[in-house]
């Protein structure tokens, strides 16, 4: 193994935006001796070989993981159980399995039953992304200066956790460890609820009369535009996020409904001081986000882009 290499053979199951970005970052830094990708469609397989993202590309998860010392699950979270079942018999006895899913309790529930006792499972979630999908959407710098949260269940082998952490650090990310339940609650408010709100606002506009809808689109720079970008995120991925983080999302939605009722009431009764004090508080939050260096993502496919949908 060369000095820069962390793993001999890496299997990436699902090679769209996140999987292909990880593969590109690993190639950039020579982190893997060999990268094998697995996707469902012949079209994606051809695209991956054309772009040179992996050394080989496969249709079956079992063929892909053969002899791998690291397996990274990068498909939508709802696919994890069937993928784990399909690859289980072909996994190496001491393999490290990790993932990038936006929800963590569900992946532990769905994948752990298929792993033998000598195998190591280190769930992970890079807080980086965009509304684009597919292998052509990825880029090596996606994780630069972004957080990657690892949620190893109690008792996980520390050396395995450290190897996965080292991988993400070499991808440019800042690694944090967190309990899976806590992760799902935090992400429900920072990512899942904002996406739900964006989908709702854009859908409300879509249901307007045709003439009003045309004006919403023409004058979208007034704020609507930012919601349309988030609401253009992959429908399958987001369906799976909401169905697999149901409790935390419903809890945050309940709080949101109470807070929006408070604003509704303040507008109805002309309570300007209340509105102003809430808006001052939210300006402070924005300032903290900027100070933490988490205000925007550079996306090379969108000149002038600043913000990315980060799930
Ligand atoms: P994506 O661009 O749509 O890519 C998904 C990939 O998974 C595609 O290569 C697809 O193959 C493959 N796939 C789908 N269903 C599969 C199945 N049943 N078996 C095997 N492969 C399957 O999605 P993404 O944005 O990279 O998201 C992937 C994961 O990253 C999700 O779990 C998501 O929660 C997480 N994540 C996403 C973001 C984000 O902003 N997008 C951020 C952080 C984490 P085909 O092309 O052949 O269909």
């Amino acid at each position: 193994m060369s000095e820069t290499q962390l793993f001999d053979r890496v299997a990436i199951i699902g090679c769209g935006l996140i999987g292909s970005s990880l593969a590109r970052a690993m190639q950039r830094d020579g982190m893997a001796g060999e990268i094998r990708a697995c996707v469902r469609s012949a079209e994606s397989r051809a695209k991956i070989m054309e772009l040179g993202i992996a050394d080989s590309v496969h249709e079956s998860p079992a063929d892909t993981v053969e002899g791998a010392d690291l397996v990274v699950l990068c498909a939508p979270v709802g696919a994890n159980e069937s993928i784990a079942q399909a690859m289980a018999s072909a996994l190496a006895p001491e393999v490290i399995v990790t993932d990038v899913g936006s929800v963590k309790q569900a992946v532990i529930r769905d994948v752990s039953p298929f792993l033998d006792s000598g195998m190591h499972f280190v769930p992970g979630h890079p807080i980086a992304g965009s509304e684009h999908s597919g292998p052509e959407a990825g880029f090596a710098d996606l994780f630069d200066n972004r957080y990657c949260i690892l949620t190893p269940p109690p008792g996980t082998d520390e050396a395995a956790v450290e190897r996965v952490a080292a991988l993400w650090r070499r991808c440019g990310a800042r690694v944090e460890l967190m309990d899976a339940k806590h992760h799902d609650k935090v992400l429900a408010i920072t990512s899942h609820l904002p996406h739900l709100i964006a989908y709702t606002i854009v859908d409300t506009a879509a249901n307007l009369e045709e003439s009003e809808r045309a004006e919403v689109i023409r004058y979208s720079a007034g704020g609507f535009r930012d919601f349309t970008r988030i609401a253009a995120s992959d429908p399958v991925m987001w369906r799976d996020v909401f169905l697999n983080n149901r409790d935390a999302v419903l809890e945050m939605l309940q709080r949101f409904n109470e807070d929006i009722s408070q604003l509704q009431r303040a507008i109805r009764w002309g309570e300007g001081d209340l509105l102003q004090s809430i808006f001052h508080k939210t300006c402070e939050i924005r300032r903290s986000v900027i100070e933490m260096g988490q205000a925007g993502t550079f996306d090379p496919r969108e000149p002038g882009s600043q913000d990315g949908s980060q799930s």
Side-chain angles (χ1 to χ4, degrees), residues 17 20-22 24-25 129-130 135-143 297-301:
L17 169 72
S20 76
S21 295
L22 182 59
R24 286 171 165 102
S130 80
E136 63 281 19
F139 52 101
D141 297 343
L142 178 65
F143 310 110
T297 299
F298 172 66
D299 182 340
R301 289 147 310 146

Side-chain angles (χ1 to χ4, degrees), residues 28 127 135 149 173 279:
R28 178 190 64 190
I127 315 292
I149 300 174
F279 301 159

